[in-house]
Amino acid sequence: MKKGHILGLGVIAVAIVIIVSSIGDASSYESFSTAKAMAQEGDDDPIHVVGQLAKDSMGTVTGLEVSDDKTSFTFTMVDNEGTSQQVYYNEPVPADFTRSEQVVVIGSYKSENMFVADKILMKCPSKYQETELKEASL
Amino acid sequence: MINTFIGNLGHLMVILAFVSSLITAYSYYQYTVVPEIEKASWRKFSRIFFYIHAVSAISIGVILFNIIHNFRFEYFYAYSHASKALPVHYMISSFWEGQEGSFILWIFWDVILGLFLIHTNKSWEGPVMVVFSLVQAFLVSMILGVVIGDLKIGSSPFILLRDVANAPIFQMNPDFVPEDGTGLNPLLQNIWMVIHPPTLFLGYASTLVPFAYLMAGLWTGKYKEWIRPALPWTIFSALILGMGIIMGAYWAYVTLNFGGYWNWDPVENASYVPWLIIVASIHTMITFRKSSTALKTSIVLIILQFILVLYATFLVRSGVLGDTSVHSFTDLGLSGQLLIYLFFFMFVAIFLSARAWKNIPTSEKEASVYSREFWIFIGATTLGLMAFQVILPTSIPVYNAIVESFGGISNMAPPADQIEFYTKFQLWFGVVLALLTAVGQFFWWKKMDKKELKNALATPYIISLILAAIIITVAKVWNITFMVIVMAATFTIVANATILSKLLKKSTFKLAGGSLAHIGLGLILIGVMFSSGYSDVISLNMSGLTYKRDWEDELNKENVLLWINQPLQMKDYEVVYRGRNKKLEGVPGYVNVNKLESTDNVNEAIALEDINVNGKTYHKKGDKVNIVLEENSYFEIEYFKDQQHQFTLFPMSQPNPTMGLISSPDSKHFLNKDLYTHISAINSYDDPEWGEDEFYEVTPGEQFHLGDYITTFEGGEVMEEVEGVELEEGDVAVKAKLVIQDHDKQIHLDPIFLIRGNRIGKIPTVNHDLGVKIQVDNISPETNKFVFKANNYQKDYVVMKALVKPYINVLWIGTIIMLIGFGVAIYRRYDEFVKMRDKGLE
């Protein structure tokens, strides 16, 4: 075999390792119910859940509880299937949290009733995009 | 009054720039293909049109800046990106905050590069400028703003607010102009954001130059001659894009609060991947220049780097990253157009290369293991694999989008812990690169066989092992992966330093580019490893139980709550929060908010007492002072060690009306580490909800508990004059002197009680730091008792996070050395090109 071929095979091998590991480490977007089922089967890999904060009829966020030392909080999130779930996040409340249109939590179930988020991504109406014109500012 | 002229002028310039770029492309095409005798007139014609294009493209920028700078809020772009409070240098950031502005920046750089190429090339001018003008036409079309039915071509920065907004006010008054704009994203209000985007876009724009030379070469049959003029530009791209990326990382480090400089966010990856490919292409091109191999690889890589820049643009601007990135743009409806742009050049490049492929010279000779070509090729392959490893998972949202466009459902998400995922690969690739550069450099400068290689490498190898052992012991690197990194990095540093010293002895600094860049690589590896791998959160919350006992071990709280004036032990340091400050124009340092009273005007305040810094009085009591960006507060955090004050940090926060709290950290820079502090949450302070009234009846000299504070009532004092009140004959004004002891700090509160005839007036004192409002409710002269009415709110606090980043300076120094290396290499390669051109060979 020529050296070039060995090299080529080596590159292909590394590329396959990369592809396999990317697929293996890729997370997935799930709903709370599937996440719970996964946790009960002992699979505690972090997954992504997309949803909104629970809000009352006035549009105010409900279920947000900040710990006494203000360094962690729990909130209620409703996923796209409509399941409502309490989520714990071990960081101070992100400032634009209650304004978010959509929340992505990355984490897993640590106990029966509590989803623990390792990371929260928020999509805010105004973040990095042309601001929607607000009547109030006119 | 609405000024529609300037916007129409801008739009006209956009159309002119678009049309002129198409004409230039056509005429340069003619110039390239016509017989020699007609060339002169076609060249003149093409140049005139490119100048017209240049002038109109630059005018677009000038006009847009004029709209922002003159606060023409009747324009949507100015309204949504600027505001009156911004200083001029941040207005520059406003310019490229929006997608349209950043496209203008890109167009501008291409124009500058094009002008440069016209005047430095002889035979290459025609075909290169055809590619250039075509790219310009695509870029300008992004801001064309033409809507035909459902088809939208480009998004114009010159549209009026009233044409976009559905606000009812425009039906009543079409000439309405808002008072102020919505302003610049506070995260972008940073000096690095003024210079980072132009640098990055120059890097992006410059990737076009080698691509254009390649296309020109493939088209005109100069299959290998294109390398010489393209090489300095490829290194230029690597330098500028690398600099832009590092500036972005530095901006993230000093402004954003994720506690680092690199987060493997898709947007960051999208700029890193083309950079890797550019660096790989430099190496294969250099190999070709030395030994006529690797030409086909160079062609593939040059095409790839250009297409990857377009792909990066697509990822960032199409909205496809919406769920995965914290900082991508949203869709302006340009994604289709961006895809056409990408596929157009991809197909042209593939077509031209395929046509030329069998004519491209290759070397049949098998590269020996003891040849430099072999080692450089492995290096370039490693860089390619690094790029592949990053772009593959970064594109996950694109796969989902593709699957969904065919009606399928794909719920794949990027790796949950991106930092860990990418780092575990990239660090090992980095180690491989470091080893390759160490060995490769020896091959580069000398013909080698097995024995010679051993001799050449033995000394650097031993020196680097000793050095690595010292670093490992002194810095306590007890992790096997990190030990390997230290060894590989010191090896490349020592080996390249050996080469460098040999080159310098021969006084050929011109040739030192490679070894400098590789030394930089070694330092970067060490710097990244220490600052990230040994990053230490020192603000661990030891205050008590975590939320749930059963997860206690896993959930360390990395933030601490600091009440004002109340010290807290944090690892080696004791920290105290001392209150809020503002920055004043012309006054060094920061000024406590208690010394200022804001007025109704933007960025203006009245000094409540003299403002002294270092013995110099900058403002007298009652002066009007100018605040630098009133929205920004600087939170004073004192650090103590063994009761000794060490230093004070002022992390910044801005409660932004649309984005919530925006924080920027402050760092104490030591030679061997940074101590990084940022604010995660603050007390809302402006309109406190005061608690219920509480009454206290006290005699002078008595101590009492005001809320949590031990308070001494020192007594009343009859006043001759009261600020803000005209005292009349017979008026009595009494000031009650209260002293609160809050830890080591004494705070004086002096509410005033006024008697005029049978009416009384009460002037309360408010202290926001303590969250106390107190007034004298009554005085009973018979019993010599004062009745105070007090309301409590919350004492001021911050929640903060502190990290130690060891040896981060090694990282910054490494990048600077690497960039200098690129600079030296550009000089050398450009010099070669100029010499050949002047001989009439290019």
Side-chain angles (χ1 to χ4, degrees), chain B residues 244-348:
Chain B
I245 293 172
I246 286 299
M247 279 176 179
Y250 194 78
W251 160 67
Y253 182 62
V254 297
T255 311
L256 302 183
N257 47 27
F258 61 71
Y261 41 81
W262 195 259
N263 206 24
W264 296 108
D265 185 272
V267 172
E268 296 164 7
N269 295 350
S271 62
Y272 172 67
V273 169
W275 185 81
L276 288 172
I277 298 296
I278 293 171
V279 174
S281 67
I282 294 174
H283 287 83
T284 57
M285 284 161 93
I286 293 176
T287 319
F288 175 76
R289 296 273 288 103
K290 273 240 170 180
S291 60
S292 309
T293 52
L295 180 56
K296 283 184 175 167
T297 322
S298 304
I299 292 175
V300 171
L301 289 175
I302 290 293
I303 295 174
L304 202 58
Q305 53 100 23
F306 182 69
I307 299 298
L308 277 171
V309 164
L310 298 186
Y311 181 61
T313 313
F314 170 75
L315 279 183
V316 175
R317 290 163 190 261
S318 64
V320 76
L321 296 180
D323 283 343
T324 53
S325 169
V326 287
H327 54 189
S328 69
F329 286 104
T330 46
D331 193 6
L332 274 188
L334 298 181
S335 38
Q337 221 173 327
L338 282 165
L339 281 179
I340 294 173
Y341 180 19
L342 192 153
F343 285 124
F344 176 81
F345 284 100
M346 200 161 89
F347 288 130
V348 167

Side-chain angles (χ1 to χ4, degrees), chain A residues 25 27 29 69 90 95 110 133, chain B residues 79 165 411 413 424 541 554 661:
Chain A
D25 284 10
S27 164
Y29 292 103
D69 60 5
N90 194 27
K110 280 277 184 334
L133 203 61
Chain B
Y79 174 77
N411 66 348
K424 88 182 165 208
N541 191 331
E554 290 166 60
L661 189 75

Side-chain angles (χ1 to χ4, degrees), chain A:
Chain A
M1 254 205 312
K2 280 195 196 167
K3 253 196 305 310
H5 295 156
I6 301 174
L7 196 66
L9 287 178
V11 170
I12 293 170
V14 178
I16 290 173
V17 170
I18 289 172
I19 294 170
V20 168
S21 105
S22 294
I23 296 170
D25 284 10
S27 164
S28 57
Y29 292 103
E30 303 290 351
S31 60
F32 280 123
S33 51
T34 39
K36 200 175 235 171
M38 279 166 68
Q40 277 158 358
E41 284 160 24
D43 177 0
D44 57 356
D45 286 346
I47 46 118
H48 289 56
V49 181
V50 185
Q52 281 95 36
L53 298 180
K55 284 179 182 155
D56 63 14
S57 54
M58 301 291 287
T60 330
V61 172
T62 54
L64 182 69
E65 280 173 49
V66 183
S67 71
D68 285 344
D69 60 5
K70 296 171 176 59
T71 58
S72 62
F73 67 103
T74 55
F75 62 99
T76 312
M77 183 175 145
V78 185
D79 72 5
N80 290 343
E81 285 180 355
T83 319
S84 192
Q85 171 63 46
Q86 206 179 19
V87 180
Y88 172 79
Y89 189 46
N90 194 27
E91 286 284 317
V93 188
D96 38 2
F97 190 66
T98 52
R99 287 186 183 82
S100 57
E101 279 179 339
Q102 195 190 47
V103 191
V104 182
V105 291
I106 305 170
S108 58
Y109 277 92
K110 280 277 184 334
S111 71
E112 183 85 14
N113 322 317
M114 188 68 80
F115 186 89
V116 177
D118 305 322
K119 203 165 143 197
I120 295 181
L121 293 176
M122 282 165 297
K123 205 173 193 179
C124 294
S126 58
K127 211 170 188 182
Y128 291 97
Q129 59 178 294
E130 334 303 330
T131 322
E132 281 296 309
L133 203 61
K134 272 185 283 281
E135 313 254 328
S137 63
L138 286 173

